[in-house]
Amino acid sequence: LIGKDIIRFHTIYWPIFLMALDLPLPKQVFGHPWLLQGGEKMSKSRGNVIYADDMVDLFGVDATRYFVLHEMPFENDGIITWELVVERFNSDLANILGNLVSRTISMSNKYFDGVVKSTGVTEEVDNDLKAVVTGARDKIADKMSGLRVADAITEVFNVFRRCNKYIDETAPWVLAKDEAKKDRLSEVLYNLTESIAIGASLLASFLPETAEKIAAQLNTGLRGFDELNQFGLYPNDNKVTEKPEILFARLDPKEVMPKVEAIRTAQKAEFEAEQKALGKEVGTEAKADTSGKDFGEYSADHPLELKLSHFAASEENQLAILANTFADYVSQESGGAVKVTVYGGGTLGNDQESLDSVIAGTLDCAVNNTPIMSGYDAGLSVLDLPYLFENYDDIYTFLDSDVCQE
C-alpha cells in the first residue's frame, strides 16, 4: 500500500533488488490516491497544508481516521477542506452515529432503568433491520478485499443509518405511552442495542477508540468476525450505562475556522523562516502571473520562453527531461510552443549556457521575450516553475503522472 506517485519505484526498481537478492516479490501493489486541499496540491507557501496532527488537535484521532478513510475514493483523488471536515464530523459522526448511541441508551434508561431484554414480540420491520445488520459483515469484507476502504466504511455506517430509520419506523416514544405495548417497546430497544453492538464491532477496524467506547456504554465487548453475521448475542437483562458519554459533540464552524486561520498563519510563518534560513528572501521576487494562462496563444513563431537557472551540474539530465516533458505537455494541451533556455548550469556563473548537448533537437521553437521564470537565487538550487511546480517533489510527481508517461 503506497502513494500512487511512487508506483514506478515499487513496481520496477524494488522488485529488481528483490530478484537480485532472491527474495520473494510482492503479490500486489496498490497505489492509493491523494487527498487534495480544495482540489489542488497542498503547499506550505500557500498555507493550505492540512496536517494530521492539526486535525487530531481540533477533531480527535478517530474523527481524523474517519475523514481520511471515508473521503479517499478508490479510483480518484479525494478532496479535503477544513469546512468539509466540520460538515462530515457533524453529519456522520455526531448525528448518524453519536446521536444514535445516545438516544438508544437514554431510552433504555428512561423506560426500563437501563435493562435491555428481548421479549420476542416482533414485527415485519424487525426482519429488514436484522437482514441489513447481519449482511453488513460480508459486504465490508468484500470491499476490503478489493482495497475499497471508503466503500467499506460506508457499509458500516449504513448499519447505523438503518438503525436511525428503525427508530423512526417503530417510534419508541409512542409505544411507551401504551402499557399494553411495553413488551414490544422492550423488543425494539433490544434490537437497537444488538444492532449497535454489531455495528461497533464492524467499526473497530476503522475507529477503534470509538468502537471500544460504544461497547463500554452498552456494557458488552466487541465481537469477533465469525459472530458478526449472527443477531441476538447481546445478553438478556444486561444493563447499559446510566450516563451515556457524548461520542462526538457537534462543532460550530464559527468556533473552528478562527483556529484554522491560526494554523494557516503559523504555516506561512514557518515557511518564510525556512526560506530565510536558506538565504532566500521571501516575497521579493516577482513571478510571472500564469494563472489561467492559455498556452494556445504561443506558436513556433511566438513561443513561450521557459528560462531555467541556478541548478547543479548533476541535475542537467533531469532538467532535460523536465524541459521536454513540459514542452510536450503544452503542445498536447493547447498546441502551444515552448523554447527552453538554460542559464548558469553547474558553474552557477553569469554566462548564458544553453546545454545544447543535452536538449539539442528536442524543441523546435524560436526565441521571444516572454519568460515564465528566470534569475533565481543560486543558493536555493530548486527549479521553480510557477505554473506547475514548487519543488523537486512536485517535478517528480509530474514526471510520474499519466500525461508524462503516455
Side-chain angles (χ1 to χ4, degrees):
L1 184 63
I2 59 173
K4 66 176 183 177
D5 52 324
I6 55 174
I7 287 179
R8 181 178 63 183
F9 305 100
H10 285 269
T11 58
I12 298 177
Y13 307 139
W14 183 241
I16 291 173
F17 300 152
L18 294 176
M19 292 172 69
L21 296 171
D22 198 24
L23 294 173
L25 301 178
K27 293 181 174 63
Q28 175 178 263
V29 177
F30 176 65
H32 66 74
W34 293 328
L35 277 177
L36 303 179
Q37 160 66 295
E40 62 181 13
K41 291 192 70 176
M42 300 184 194
S43 165
K44 287 172 66 176
S45 63
R46 298 188 187 120
N48 71 343
V49 180
I50 297 182
Y51 289 107
D53 288 347
D54 292 330
M55 290 183 66
V56 169
D57 290 341
L58 291 179
F59 309 113
V61 175
D62 271 7
T64 300
R65 288 186 177 119
Y66 176 76
F67 190 90
V68 172
L69 294 173
H70 184 268
E71 296 302 318
M72 185 178 286
F74 180 82
E75 298 91 349
N76 305 304
D77 294 331
I79 302 297
I80 182 172
T81 65
W82 290 106
E83 294 80 2
L84 185 57
V85 175
V86 173
E87 179 184 332
R88 284 282 184 263
F89 186 100
N90 288 337
S91 64
D92 296 5
L93 298 178
N95 187 31
I96 293 174
L97 176 57
N99 193 40
L100 168 66
V101 175
S102 179
R103 290 173 73 189
T104 301
I105 293 176
S106 296
M107 287 190 292
S108 295
N109 280 308
K110 181 177 180 179
Y111 302 133
F112 297 102
D113 295 325
V115 177
V116 180
K117 182 177 181 179
S118 175
T119 59
V121 182
T122 62
E123 293 183 2
E124 184 63 29
V125 68
D126 301 349
N127 295 330
D128 185 68
L129 171 70
K130 294 175 183 179
V132 170
V133 172
T134 57
R137 184 200 71 171
D138 291 343
K139 291 181 180 179
I140 294 167
D142 180 63
K143 300 296 184 184
M144 288 302 297
S145 67
L147 294 173
R148 294 182 174 270
V149 181
D151 295 337
I153 200 170
T154 295
E155 291 292 346
V156 177
F157 270 74
N158 284 341
V159 170
F160 301 131
R161 289 185 177 91
R162 186 62 187 87
C163 290
N164 281 309
K165 183 181 178 182
Y166 182 73
I167 292 176
D168 295 336
E169 292 169 335
T170 57
W173 54 91
V174 175
L175 296 175
K177 296 178 181 178
D178 189 344
E179 186 65 24
K181 295 182 178 180
K182 185 175 182 180
D183 285 347
R184 174 57 184 160
L185 174 61
S186 179
E187 183 72 12
V188 167
L189 292 177
Y190 178 88
N191 289 341
L192 281 170
T193 303
E194 168 70 346
S195 298
I196 294 171
I198 294 174
S201 299
L202 293 168
L203 187 66
S205 297
F206 306 95
L207 310 185
E209 295 177 6
T210 300
E212 290 286 356
K213 289 179 181 179
I214 295 172
Q217 294 191 57
L218 298 181
N219 192 23
T220 187
L222 296 174
R223 301 178 193 177
F225 181 83
D226 292 338
E227 298 177 321
L228 294 179
N229 62 347
Q230 304 175 44
F231 198 95
L233 299 183
Y234 188 83
N236 250 342
D237 296 318
N238 200 28
K239 190 172 184 179
V240 298
T241 184
E242 294 181 1
K243 297 180 179 180
E245 175 187 355
I246 297 176
L247 296 175
F248 300 99
R250 287 185 63 84
L251 298 173
D252 185 349
K254 294 180 180 179
E255 296 180 358
V256 174
M257 294 315 295
K259 298 177 182 178
V260 170
E261 288 303 318
I263 291 172
R264 289 170 174 164
T265 300
Q267 283 183 16
K268 291 180 180 179
E270 181 181 356
F271 173 77
E272 292 178 0
E274 290 174 353
Q275 295 297 89
K276 289 180 179 179
L278 292 171
K280 174 136 180 109
E281 291 297 324
V282 179
T284 59
E285 292 182 308
K287 296 184 180 181
D289 180 10
T290 58
S291 59
K293 179 69 72 178
D294 179 10
F295 287 116
E297 68 183 87
Y298 298 102
S299 65
D301 295 328
H302 185 72
L304 172 69
E305 184 176 6
L306 176 63
K307 294 185 178 181
L308 303 174
S309 63
H310 301 140
F311 57 92
S314 60
E315 296 160 2
E316 291 176 0
N317 289 334
Q318 187 68 39
L319 177 62
I321 297 173
L322 171 62
N324 293 335
T325 302
F326 185 75
D328 289 344
Y329 175 80
V330 172
S331 176
Q332 291 173 16
E333 288 294 300
S334 60
V338 176
K339 173 186 170 56
V340 175
T341 305
V342 180
Y343 295 90
T347 63
L348 298 179
N350 296 321
D351 297 332
Q352 183 169 328
E353 187 177 337
S354 63
L355 290 183
D356 290 334
S357 61
V358 179
I359 61 175
T362 61
L363 301 173
D364 184 16
C365 303
V367 178
N368 77 352
N369 293 315
T370 312
I372 194 172
M373 75 156 270
S374 63
Y376 279 78
D377 192 320
L380 190 56
S381 190
V382 172
L383 304 179
D384 192 345
L385 309 182
Y387 187 76
L388 289 175
F389 309 110
E390 288 197 347
N391 51 49
Y392 276 123
D393 288 339
D394 287 351
I395 293 172
Y396 296 142
T397 296
F398 179 65
L399 292 175
D400 281 332
S401 68
D402 290 341
V403 66
C404 294
Q405 295 301 321
E406 293 171 1

